[in-house]
Amino acid sequence: MDSEAQNKVDPPLKGIRVLDFGQVYQGPYATYLMAQAGADVIKIEAPTGEPLRQREVRGGAAVFQMGMLNANKRAITLDLKTEKGKQLLRDLVPHMDILLENFTPGVMDRLGVGVEALQKINPRLIYASGTGYGLSGPDKDAMAMDITVQAMSGIMSVTGEDGGPPVRVGPAIADFMGGIHLYSGVMTALYERERTGKGRLVEVSMLESVYPTLASGLGAMHENNGEVPPRPGNRGALNTAPYSVFKAADGYISIFCLKENHWTNLCNAMSQPELITDSRFATSEARAQNLELTELQVTNWSSQLPKDEVFRLLCEHRVPAAPVRTMKEVSASEHMFARDSLQKLNHPDLGEVTLPTSPLRYQGTPQTKLTPSPRLGQHNHEVLAELLDLSADQVDQLRAEGAI
C-alpha cells in the first residue's frame, strides 16, 4: 500500500445516518453537505415526490437541481398521511442520528411525528427544522419563498440601480444560506451529543440566515446615519472608487480598488502612471467625488481588451479583479476542476452533466465522488430490508396499501 493510500482517512460523517425530509433547496442542500461528508442520507418523499421533483416534468433547471441536490443519497417514499406510513417512520427513527425537515412550522406536529414524539422514541435524535421565518414569532406562518425572504430581510432594498425599483439577488441565496446554517447547526448539536448523549432540536430560519450579510457596509451605513441605504447597483456603497463592473472587449470585468496601492497598481497596469498624482484621482475620496471621470479612465482601457487579458494583467499587478463569467464559462473552469469542486457525472436520466461538489474539504479524505441522484422511491426495498428487516413481499404490500 502506498503512503498516500495509508494517509487517507474516512470522511468525518461516516456512520452517521440521516432521514432527509428536505424539499426544494434549503433542506436538501444541508443534507447534500452531510452526504458529501460521508453520512448515509436517506431522502424521504411522499409517493408523489417532493415539489422540486414534481417540476421535473417541465424539464429545464429543475432537472439539474434535483441532480445536484440529491446526489449521493438514497431515496424512499412514505405517506405520512397514513397510519402505516407514520409507523414506518417511528420504526426507522431508532436507527437514525439526524432527522431534517423544512416544512411549514407545525406540519410534523400535526401529523403526530414532531420533535417531541420522535425524541421519546430516540432521545439521541437531532431534529433539524428549516423554515422561512422561524418556529416562533408573529411572522412564523407567513408563506416563505426565496424572493419573499429577500424582501423581508432588507436585501432587496439595497439591490438594484440608484433610483430604480428593488431587485432580488439572482440566485436563491436565502434558501442556500438557510441550508448552510442548518448544516452548521446540526454539526454543532452532533458535537454536543458526543458529550451529553442527548439530541436536541435545531432550528434555522432563512430570514435570520441572510440578514447578517447586510453587515458588509450597507447595514452599517444605516446604523451610522439612520437613513435608508441607497441601491448602488454594481458600484460600492462605501466611499471607494473604482469599485464596479467595467466593459471589456468581450464582456465585463469587476474591479475593486479598496486600498491606495490598488489604484496605483491599476494605473501602472493601464500604463497611465500619470493618473497616480493627478489631483482628481490622488485619493479614494477624490476619485469618489469624480466618480464618472474615474470610471471613464478605467473603461477606456478595459474595453479595448478581452476580459481574461484584463484579468491576467490585473493579477500580475495585484489588483482585486475578476471577469464576469457566464454559467457556461464557470462550468468549464480549469481552477474548479483542479480542486475537484466541479465533477462530470453520467446521470441515467440527465446524461453527462457537470455538477458542483461540497465546498468543504477534509484533510486526508479525497473529495467525495458524485453518485447520481436517486429516482423516486428507488431504495424502498433496500432501506426497509436493511433497517427494518422487511421482506420484498412486505415492502410490496406496503406500496399496495399506499403507505410508501
Side-chain angles (χ1 to χ4, degrees):
M1 182 180 294
D2 60 34
S3 59
E4 183 178 355
Q6 287 179 325
N7 290 332
K8 289 180 180 177
V9 295
D10 288 334
L13 295 186
K14 183 178 180 181
I16 296 296
R17 192 173 283 136
V18 183
L19 278 184
D20 175 15
F21 282 94
Q23 53 181 346
V24 192
Y25 305 136
Q26 183 191 19
Y29 188 62
T31 50
Y32 170 71
L33 294 176
M34 296 176 203
Q36 285 276 290
D40 178 13
V41 177
I42 301 169
K43 183 176 179 66
I44 299 185
E45 301 173 76
T48 52
E50 67 134 301
L52 196 59
R53 191 186 293 276
Q54 293 172 13
R55 296 183 207 169
E56 283 193 53
V57 295
R58 305 177 206 169
V63 178
F64 175 82
Q65 292 154 355
M66 282 295 292
M68 176 194 117
L69 290 168
N70 294 297
N72 297 80
K73 300 179 183 180
R74 297 194 282 176
I76 68 172
T77 52
L78 282 183
D79 190 345
L80 295 183
K81 294 179 180 178
T82 68
E83 187 52 45
K84 286 193 174 181
K86 284 185 274 195
Q87 187 56 49
L88 280 171
L89 173 58
R90 297 185 188 105
D91 292 342
L92 288 168
V93 161
H95 302 275
M96 298 297 146
D97 298 285
I98 299 160
L99 182 147
L100 181 146
E101 51 90 355
N102 61 309
F103 298 128
T104 301
V107 165
M108 294 289 271
D109 287 322
R110 288 192 292 273
L111 291 170
V113 287
V115 58
E116 291 185 9
L118 297 183
Q119 285 187 334
K120 285 180 181 177
I121 300 170
N122 179 2
R124 290 176 54 83
L125 182 71
I126 294 166
Y127 186 107
S129 174
T131 60
Y133 304 114
L135 295 179
S136 61
D139 295 327
K140 71 180 179 65
D141 293 322
M143 295 187 69
M145 303 294 175
D146 193 86
I147 188 172
T148 66
V149 175
Q150 287 194 36
M152 191 80 84
S153 69
I155 286 176
M156 286 178 65
S157 74
V158 295
T159 307
E161 296 293 336
D162 186 28
V167 176
R168 73 175 179 89
V169 178
I173 61 163
D175 273 296
F176 282 91
M177 287 287 284
I180 294 165
H181 282 80
L182 197 52
Y183 173 84
S184 65
V186 169
M187 294 304 106
T188 304
L190 198 59
Y191 173 75
E192 178 194 43
R193 195 185 71 176
E194 289 299 302
R195 294 181 288 117
T196 67
K198 295 181 179 180
R200 70 156 73 216
L201 169 67
V202 175
E203 67 142 320
V204 167
S205 84
M206 297 193 299
L207 174 67
E208 292 154 4
S209 297
V210 294
Y211 178 69
T213 63
L214 294 173
S216 55
L218 294 165
M221 182 181 297
H222 168 71
E223 289 300 317
N224 287 339
N225 60 26
E227 297 179 1
V228 177
R231 285 188 279 279
N234 288 322
R235 290 171 171 167
L238 303 176
N239 194 28
T240 307
Y243 178 173
S244 192
V245 171
F246 298 90
K247 187 80 175 70
D250 60 348
Y252 293 88
I253 185 159
S254 63
I255 301 173
F256 179 19
C257 290
L258 176 63
K259 301 177 180 178
E260 288 303 323
N261 69 302
H262 294 152
W263 171 249
T264 299
N265 294 345
L266 175 59
C267 293
N268 288 327
M270 297 190 298
S271 300
Q272 297 183 67
E274 68 277 6
L275 297 179
I276 298 171
T277 55
D278 189 315
S279 61
R280 296 170 298 176
F281 314 116
T283 66
S284 183
E285 291 76 11
R287 293 191 296 276
Q289 290 172 2
N290 295 282
L291 185 58
E292 300 289 344
L293 188 57
T294 300
E295 292 183 344
L296 182 62
Q297 307 306 310
V298 180
T299 301
N300 285 343
W301 169 71
S302 64
S303 62
Q304 304 304 309
L305 299 169
K307 61 186 180 183
D308 284 339
E309 176 64 10
V310 177
F311 179 48
R312 184 188 67 79
L313 286 168
L314 295 185
C315 284
E316 288 179 359
H317 286 82
R318 305 303 297 162
V319 178
V324 178
R325 289 178 172 168
T326 64
M327 290 185 66
K328 182 178 180 180
E329 290 170 330
V330 175
S331 68
S333 167
E334 180 181 358
H335 174 80
M336 295 183 75
F337 274 108
R339 284 182 49 78
D340 213 14
S341 55
L342 287 178
Q343 293 180 11
K344 291 188 181 295
L345 173 69
N346 286 313
H347 194 284
D349 298 320
L350 310 179
E352 185 177 87
V353 291
T354 299
L355 298 174
T357 62
S358 169
L360 305 177
R361 299 290 187 277
Y362 306 100
Q363 185 180 20
T365 302
Q367 191 73 336
T368 301
K369 292 300 180 184
L370 293 173
T371 61
S373 56
R375 290 169 172 158
L376 181 65
Q378 179 177 329
H379 300 100
N380 278 346
H381 282 84
E382 176 181 302
V383 170
L384 296 178
E386 175 187 321
L387 299 182
L388 305 184
D389 201 27
L390 297 184
S391 68
D393 287 343
Q394 288 173 307
V395 175
D396 288 339
Q397 181 62 30
L398 287 168
R399 180 183 288 110
E401 294 171 350
I404 62 175

